[in-house]
Amino acid sequence: TDAYSGIEETDPVDITIRLDGEYALETVVLYPMKWGNGETFPRDFELLGSVDGEEWFAVYEAQKDVTAAAADNVSVTPKEYVLETPVSIRYFRLRITRHSAVMDATGAATSALGEIELYGSKDTAAEEEAARKLTEARNAATEELKSYRAGKDNKDYRDAQIAELDAALAKG
């Protein structure tokens, strides 16, 4: 969180990660910051996923009253959240709903993470479905263009237009 923003304890903050494709998410690991012995870890948060970046859903139950405080910075341990069933996402969001008990010098609430790790596998079924839909759309557009072309007489076009239309049909 930004030390100069004057955030209150329950002001929500989102951290959003866009993946390079759809993945079947299996595990989320959150690493507390080691400095401060993990005390700046957010207390309440949600783990959310989305396929399109617009509609969000919980990938794990909301976490309340979490602590990552340790005796020293060597003892700080990550928080691991293993999903019961893998879920397909392209976007991951950590929504902090209550910050750590640590306040900055101005009295603003703070939260800090060292790292976010997402584990799962590339969702090839989603990619295959998208490729299938794209092929269907391309084939439908080609058929529509062929139908249009079949209904036209060459005398309606200049030679260059006929060649261009036939080339587009051949390219598909």
Side-chain angles (χ1 to χ4, degrees):
T1 52
D2 181 2
Y4 302 103
S5 64
I7 279 182
E8 297 296 324
E9 179 184 24
T10 58
D11 285 347
V13 171
D14 289 344
I15 300 170
T16 303
I17 300 169
R18 181 182 183 269
L19 306 173
D20 66 349
E22 284 192 39
Y23 285 81
L25 180 67
E26 298 171 3
T27 304
V28 176
V29 182
L30 304 177
Y31 286 82
M33 290 297 285
K34 289 193 172 201
W35 57 262
N37 303 338
E39 291 182 6
T40 57
F41 197 75
R43 291 185 279 180
D44 296 354
F45 53 88
E46 299 171 359
L47 305 173
L48 307 172
S50 174
V51 175
D52 60 7
E54 300 292 324
E55 299 291 324
W56 293 90
F57 52 87
V59 298
Y60 200 87
E61 64 193 47
Q63 298 297 295
K64 302 282 185 192
D65 298 319
V66 178
T67 182
D72 55 54
N73 65 2
V74 176
S75 304
V76 174
T77 58
K79 301 294 182 182
E80 184 174 285
Y81 303 95
V82 179
L83 283 58
E84 287 182 26
T85 306
V87 60
S88 185
I89 66 166
R90 183 178 182 109
Y91 297 85
F92 173 79
R93 178 173 285 169
L94 172 69
R95 173 169 289 150
I96 300 169
T97 54
R98 187 167 64 128
H99 299 282
S100 75
V102 177
M103 300 294 173
D104 70 11
T106 68
T110 63
S111 285
L113 293 169
E115 203 171 311
I116 298 173
E117 292 180 355
L118 305 175
Y119 293 92
S121 57
K122 191 87 166 187
D123 192 345
T124 55
E127 286 184 356
E128 289 168 3
E129 177 64 13
R132 185 189 63 74
K133 287 181 178 179
L134 183 59
T135 298
E136 284 178 3
R138 187 180 120 223
N139 291 342
T142 299
E143 289 305 313
E144 185 177 339
L145 191 54
K146 283 180 181 176
S147 174
Y148 171 81
R149 175 70 175 98
K152 297 297 178 182
D153 191 336
N154 282 350
K155 67 181 179 185
D156 294 335
Y157 296 96
R158 291 177 288 145
D159 289 342
Q161 291 173 315
I162 293 169
E164 186 178 358
L165 188 54
D166 288 341
L169 280 168
K171 194 173 183 181

